[in-house]
Amino acid sequence: MQRLYAIVLAAGKGTRMKSRKKHKVLHPVCGKPMIEYILDAISHLQAEKTVLVVGHLGDSLKEALGDRVLFAEQTEQLGTGHAVMQAAGILEKEDGITLVLNGDHPLFTAETLQKLVRRHKEEGAAATVLTAVFEDPTGYGRIKRNSGGGVDGIVEHKDATEEERAIREVSLGTFCFDNRKLFAALAHVKNDNAQGEYYLPDVIGILRDQGEHVSAHILEETDEAMGVNDRVQLAEAEKIMRRRILRKHMLNGVTIVDPENTYIEADVQIGADTLIEPGCSLRGSTVIGEGCRIGPQADLADVIVHDDAQIRYSVIERSEIRERAVVGPFTYIRPGTDLGADTKAGAFVDLKKAKIGHGTKISHLAYVGDAEVGEKVNIGCGVITVNYDGVHKHKTVIEDGAFVGCNVNLIAPVTVEKGAYVAAGSTITHDVPEGALAIARERQTVKPGYVEKLMAKHAKK
Ligand code: UD1
Ligand code: CA
């Protein structure tokens, strides 16, 4: 078996993105940096070594990707051919097949790359280029074919004649090469062109002139073909990827009521028979169980939702929502919350770093933060854990079966023990013992006939 290597180009300035700080290939498509899609696809092919050519903003790529790839530096951006040459130190002496890809093509699937490699092997080619036929080929390199249909070379848009620009078959910047022949041919690439750059696509013409067999594989699935050079294309790529992600979930048994208004990022997992209502954004490492009902309008980032939970009109971040919990409408659950099974967190409830036990109800208008709440607790309307003294955060503990009445302030650190009751309107500054009732509010004073006397006083004046 021939060994497989991969070179991914990402040293360019990405000028057309007009980004000051973010590297082009780190811009996310459906929540995941473009470059990661490419590396994921390559990893399916089990490449022996993957070299990422970096230059402009290269440190950010090294930081983001760590040891997933080997890095080669291109200190001056002299073109894609020059960029590939920078991998010579790592790959030049290897025998095998080298896949070369641009870092700005996030939509290729592993199957497509596999097909390209297979085609290359079957034909025993020195080089195979991946092509597509575009309605509007503007900007792409055009494939020049001879009368026999064979590939003669590639001409860049900026160097093409009017006649060549009419060609609709384009190079996708994705190639398979015989590794040794690639590096040998690169030595012959010149920069006498419109951009004064060393073009990788020129290798095709060079090998062809040397009498080598050059092949092409036409990609039929054109929604994989687009490259991302600017933010208009970024949005188009996002749309294509979004549909692909939604389709995968629907085929896995998830009902998505309105795919046009549902945003699910690449790594989100959803169980069968879950219903996703319109207006949901499910992000990051979110995992949703089976039989859940999510939305309308739920924004979940890095949330684990267990089976049969329901979440409507709510925002949840880095938290866990357990079986059959009912959240919303209008609930804000912040990082570090663990909402137990069979619980309720209702309208205008704000939870932060709170562990809420099985069967507990927080139905409306409450703030519970830095708290540990037991099982079957009732938290009334307007309850507030007063967790912050201006300098430090303090913890509130409410044990199993406790009942906290409406409009109660719990000044932390404080504990309401098992089964204790806290009267409505209390401001609790000391622990409430098990089974006790705490009332901490001014006693009501009643002045009989007061209003009548007051009116008489006014009348005199
Ligand atoms: C390139 C191809 C074009 C093809 C198109 C497909 C060349 C000359 N042109 O055009 O034939 O149709 O991709 O999308 O190859 N890069 C470097 N170093 C450099 C220059 C670029 O690493 O000196 C990297 C970029 O970061 C990018 C990739 O190479 O990931 C392609 O460069 P880009 O400028 O986007 O080329 P295109 O104009 O899209
Ligand atoms: Ca490009």
Side-chain angles (χ1 to χ4, degrees), residues 9 11-12 16 74 77 79-80 102-105 141 156 171 199 201 229:
L9 305 184
R16 289 162 281 182
Q74 187 194 27
Q77 278 69 61
T80 49
N102 290 347
D104 58 4
H105 273 263
E156 287 305 296
S171 161
Y199 292 161
N229 293 314

Side-chain angles (χ1 to χ4, degrees), residues 10-188:
K13 289 207 174 68
T15 319
R16 289 162 281 182
M17 285 300 273
K18 306 242 167 87
S19 191
R20 288 185 208 284
K21 296 197 183 106
K22 209 185 190 74
H23 193 291
K24 174 161 77 171
V25 303
L26 289 179
H27 281 267
V29 169
C30 294
K32 192 154 100 172
M34 267 189 247
I35 187 71
E36 286 195 28
Y37 289 97
I38 297 162
L39 298 181
D40 286 350
I42 291 172
S43 73
H44 274 96
L45 273 68
Q46 285 161 334
E48 202 91 4
K49 288 178 186 169
T50 299
V51 180
L52 186 68
V53 183
V54 297
H56 184 66
L57 294 173
D59 287 344
S60 61
L61 282 170
K62 287 183 181 170
E63 201 175 302
L65 300 170
D67 55 7
R68 268 192 87 175
V69 291
L70 299 167
F71 292 95
E73 300 267 358
Q74 187 194 27
T75 42
E76 265 188 295
Q77 278 69 61
L78 302 179
T80 49
H82 180 258
V84 173
M85 242 187 282
Q86 310 314 304
I90 302 174
L91 293 181
E92 199 175 30
K93 298 208 165 63
E94 305 287 356
D95 286 311
I97 294 172
T98 297
L99 195 59
V100 181
L101 303 115
N102 290 347
D104 58 4
H105 273 263
L107 297 167
F108 292 135
T109 59
E111 295 76 64
T112 290
L113 300 183
Q114 247 144 11
K115 276 186 201 163
L116 175 69
V117 174
R118 201 180 307 139
R119 174 74 172 256
H120 179 82
K121 284 184 184 167
E122 279 166 8
E123 294 203 16
T128 306
V129 53
L130 185 66
T131 75
V133 178
F134 281 175
E135 207 55 57
D136 175 13
T138 310
Y140 289 88
R142 309 296 205 279
I143 302 296
K144 297 189 68 174
R145 291 189 183 256
N146 55 41
S147 51
V151 176
D152 270 350
I154 299 169
V155 59
E156 287 305 296
H157 181 89
K158 286 186 178 151
D159 299 291
T161 61
E162 276 309 304
E163 206 177 320
E164 288 166 334
R165 285 188 180 180
I167 299 170
R168 285 170 47 227
E169 187 182 6
V170 304
S171 161
L172 299 177
T174 303
F175 304 87
C176 251
F177 292 105
D178 173 280
N179 187 63
R180 296 232 176 213
K181 288 176 182 168
L182 164 66
F183 285 103
L186 277 172
H188 300 289

Side-chain angles (χ1 to χ4, degrees), residues 25 75 85 95 100 103-104 126 148 163 167 172 250 264 272 278 286-288 298 331 338 380 391 400 416 439 458 460:
V25 303
T75 42
M85 242 187 282
D95 286 311
V100 181
D104 58 4
E163 206 177 320
I167 299 170
L172 299 177
M250 290 188 275
I264 301 180
T286 294
V287 178
I288 296 173
T331 307
D338 179 343
V391 182
D400 295 350
V416 177
I439 310 177
H458 285 322
K460 246 189 219 170

Side-chain angles (χ1 to χ4, degrees), residues 365-436:
L365 295 158
Y367 170 56
V368 180
D370 299 306
E372 211 179 298
V373 180
E375 297 187 1
K376 294 209 164 65
V377 169
N378 189 84
I379 307 259
C381 180
V383 169
I384 289 171
T385 54
V386 184
N387 58 330
Y388 187 49
D389 60 13
V391 182
H392 299 105
K393 300 283 171 71
H394 299 282
K395 190 173 174 184
T396 302
V397 177
I398 305 171
E399 294 182 353
D400 295 350
F403 181 99
V404 183
C406 290
N407 254 11
V408 166
N409 296 312
L410 297 162
I411 315 280
V414 75
T415 298
V416 177
E417 290 183 7
K418 254 189 185 168
Y421 274 45
V422 177
S426 296
T427 291
I428 298 296
T429 52
H430 296 89
D431 291 356
V432 182
E434 183 171 340

